[in-house]
Amino acid sequence: QKEVEQDPGPLSVPEGAIVSLNCTYSNSAFQYFMWYRQYSRKGPELLMYTYSSGNKEDGRFTAQVDKSSKYISLFIRDSQPSDSATYLCASGLNTDKLIFGTGTRLQVFP
Amino acid sequence: DAGITQSPRYKITETGRQVTLMCHQTWSHSYMFWYRQDLGHGLRLIYYSAAADITDKGEVPDGYVVSRSKTENFPLTLESATRSQTSVYFCASSGSHSPGATNEKLFFGSGTQLSVL
């Protein structure tokens, strides 16, 4: 079992929909939770990160961590075609050895 | 331009050949990383380096060699390429590994797509 599990999708939604992306992790010592976005043929770029349970908002994006259930979520409100990408969750003790999920491919159609 | 650059962008080689992938960053970041990305596996850490002359193994180090004689460069060498090493390789850097530090964010290069025939 991988330490960070993520549904690979693909997920296809209409423009304006609310998108929910989810991951689970197995190591209760992990304290670092991140979401990366990766466009086709590009490197991943950091979207959001948090170190604690609860919600963190940044514009249309909300990252949520539930340490009791070891669940990581990313919500995208008012999704746009430009949000079409692969979303990678990552977790770890620090950035020395981040464990990445396999990524969820999201397509937002007009 | 400043940033993190990888070369080559694409590489085709044959089994048994030695291949070196280059990575260069201009931020003077302490930490540098090599990942490989494969369908069904996501990103997996091959090697990382906390500073010049300090390297350590990641999750999948077998068949790879790294060096870090200068802070800005972190080449990855496949000593004798195998078909299983066909993958997209990403280099990344960060300024710190301490949670809460403002420069702990990982910056990735654009990747090298390697095909081993």
Side-chain angles (χ1 to χ4, degrees):
Chain A
Q1 183 192 4
K2 281 180 66 77
E3 288 187 274
V4 176
E5 299 272 7
Q6 183 174 9
D7 186 340
L11 192 58
S12 185
V13 301
E15 184 175 354
I18 296 174
V19 175
S20 171
L21 303 169
N22 305 295
C23 291
T24 58
Y25 64 97
S26 58
N27 190 336
S28 57
F30 284 173
Q31 54 177 339
Y32 213 153
F33 309 97
M34 311 171 101
W35 283 96
Y36 280 81
R37 178 175 60 195
Q38 184 176 21
Y39 291 113
S40 182
R41 302 185 189 281
K42 300 285 188 185
E45 55 179 348
L46 182 65
L47 196 57
M48 300 199 59
Y49 67 92
T50 182
Y51 311 116
S52 59
S53 278
N55 293 354
K56 182 176 181 180
E57 271 193 42
D58 184 0
R60 297 184 295 109
F61 299 89
T62 299
Q64 188 176 76
V65 177
D66 182 344
K67 286 189 175 182
S68 62
S69 59
K70 302 193 193 73
Y71 210 75
I72 313 166
S73 299
L74 179 71
F75 299 97
I76 307 174
R77 289 184 298 280
D78 187 26
S79 55
Q80 302 295 308
S82 58
D83 295 328
S84 298
T86 297
Y87 291 80
L88 304 159
C89 62
S91 188
L93 297 174
N94 51 48
T95 54
D96 284 4
K97 291 186 178 181
L98 273 181
I99 307 296
F100 283 82
T102 51
T104 299
R105 195 151 55 96
L106 171 67
Q107 172 129 28
V108 181
F109 55 90
Chain B
D1 282 340
I4 184 165
T5 54
Q6 292 184 237
S7 61
R9 188 79 172 89
Y10 302 94
K11 176 74 177 177
I12 299 174
T13 191
E14 296 175 340
T15 55
R17 299 250 181 174
Q18 183 179 82
V19 177
T20 296
L21 310 183
M22 305 302 292
C23 180
H24 175 78
Q25 52 104 353
T26 60
W27 293 301
S28 298
H29 280 168
S30 300
Y31 287 81
M32 295 189 75
F33 307 81
W34 274 106
Y35 289 88
R36 60 178 289 174
Q37 188 172 35
D38 305 284
L39 268 175
H41 290 282
L43 280 165
R44 291 181 291 173
L45 182 65
I46 304 170
Y47 269 96
Y48 70 103
S49 168
D53 298 320
I54 300 174
T55 62
D56 205 353
K57 295 178 181 179
E59 184 185 352
V60 288
D62 293 344
Y64 302 96
V65 173
V66 293
S67 62
R68 186 125 180 250
S69 57
K70 291 185 177 181
T71 301
E72 61 268 29
N73 295 324
F74 191 38
L76 175 74
T77 297
L78 287 66
E79 294 186 296
S80 179
T82 64
R83 289 200 179 94
S84 64
Q85 292 178 310
T86 292
S87 185
V88 181
Y89 290 85
F90 287 100
C91 180
S93 71
S94 73
S96 170
H97 75 300
S98 301
T102 55
N103 57 350
E104 81 286 10
K105 173 179 170 179
L106 272 178
F107 292 86
F108 284 85
S110 295
T112 294
Q113 190 166 323
L114 175 68
S115 296
V116 183
L117 305 179

